[in-house]
Amino acid sequence: MPTPLRVLILEDRPADVELIVHELRKAGFAPEWRCVSTESDFLAALDTPIDIILADFRLPGFTALEALRHIKERNLGIPFIIVTGTLGDEMAAECIKQGATDYLLKDRLARLGPAVTQALEGKRLRVERRRREALESMLDGVARAVFEAATADEAIQRVLQTVCLRLGWDWSAVWRVDKTANVLRCMTVWHAPAIEVPNFEAISRR
């Protein structure tokens, strides 16, 4: 079964777009693609879900290096492959330095499928590594919070804050079961300093 793939193609030649899409399908992908050829359209397209970007190096008034700069500024981490007619070794090295995942020439499009597969796998591994590192960091923080707390209540508060900060949560609460009254009771609440939720917190604690 073909693999779904959301593709943004930065190209101004319709014939080349057709060839790229054809190669993706031949490689086992089911591309949901969009083609843009200007900087403004490229920036607008970045607000939509994208799995990979395939870009010609030079377009009228716009280059792949400028596109890479926008990707870096937004910290998007989208795999970016340059598909172009000609590209010297020096410029190819500069593109890789600026964040391009790979580059290939239009007369060697048979390599497009494997290049896309490799780029997607590389992103998956990076995401997995970051998640693992974040989990390890959170667990270290939780252990430190428990060790430094003087009481169980303080430990709970410290752990809650640590988990929220490490995971980027804005709000969290710890509840316990009061078996005598057969109700849930809010033990402690933590929220980001920028969040104003006095009424919600008061109601939660009641």
Side-chain angles (χ1 to χ4, degrees):
M1 185 175 180
T3 302
L5 185 68
R6 295 167 298 190
V7 189
L8 177 60
I9 303 175
L10 187 54
E11 175 61 72
D12 63 338
R13 301 188 181 202
D16 288 345
V17 175
E18 291 181 10
L19 288 173
I20 288 171
V21 173
H22 173 74
E23 284 297 329
L24 290 174
R25 288 174 176 152
K26 194 165 73 170
F29 294 103
E32 176 185 332
W33 60 276
R34 177 180 178 182
C35 179
V36 297
S37 59
T38 65
E39 185 172 15
S40 59
D41 287 344
F42 177 76
L43 291 174
L46 292 181
D47 292 328
T48 63
I50 302 169
D51 294 321
I52 197 162
I53 296 173
L54 305 177
D56 194 358
F57 178 76
R58 191 176 301 280
L59 297 100
F62 192 41
T63 69
L65 284 175
E66 293 172 287
L68 284 166
R69 176 172 53 81
H70 289 304
I71 296 294
K72 186 182 294 185
E73 287 174 353
R74 298 191 181 198
N75 195 30
L76 295 176
I78 303 171
F80 191 107
I81 297 178
I82 296 174
V83 184
T84 191
T86 58
L87 192 64
D89 292 342
E90 185 175 335
M91 188 55 66
E94 180 62 20
C95 290
I96 296 299
K97 180 181 177 181
Q98 295 303 319
T101 310
D102 200 350
Y103 72 93
L104 55 99
L105 302 180
K106 290 180 178 179
D107 60 359
R108 300 177 184 174
L109 280 183
R111 199 169 72 81
L112 180 60
V116 169
T117 299
Q118 184 174 354
L120 295 175
E121 177 63 11
K123 180 182 179 181
R124 186 190 69 78
L125 292 174
R126 288 192 298 273
V127 170
E128 184 179 294
R129 183 176 63 252
R130 285 197 296 268
R131 285 177 179 170
R132 185 172 61 251
E133 290 171 351
L135 177 60
E136 291 172 353
S137 175
M138 185 189 70
L139 292 176
D140 288 342
V142 166
R144 189 177 305 111
V146 171
F147 178 76
E148 294 174 352
T151 65
D153 287 343
E154 183 184 348
I156 291 173
Q157 181 65 38
R158 283 173 174 260
V159 167
L160 192 62
Q161 178 176 342
T162 298
V163 170
C164 289
L165 290 174
R166 299 298 171 92
L167 297 183
W169 293 355
D170 291 329
W171 164 275
S172 191
V174 173
W175 301 74
R176 68 178 177 84
V177 177
D178 184 337
K179 293 184 179 180
T180 303
N182 196 32
V183 295
L184 283 170
R185 298 199 185 278
C186 182
M187 296 178 64
T188 188
V189 166
W190 184 90
H191 61 81
I195 304 296
E196 296 289 342
V197 285
N199 292 335
F200 186 72
E201 181 173 350
I203 292 171
S204 295
R205 289 185 181 278
R206 288 200 302 268

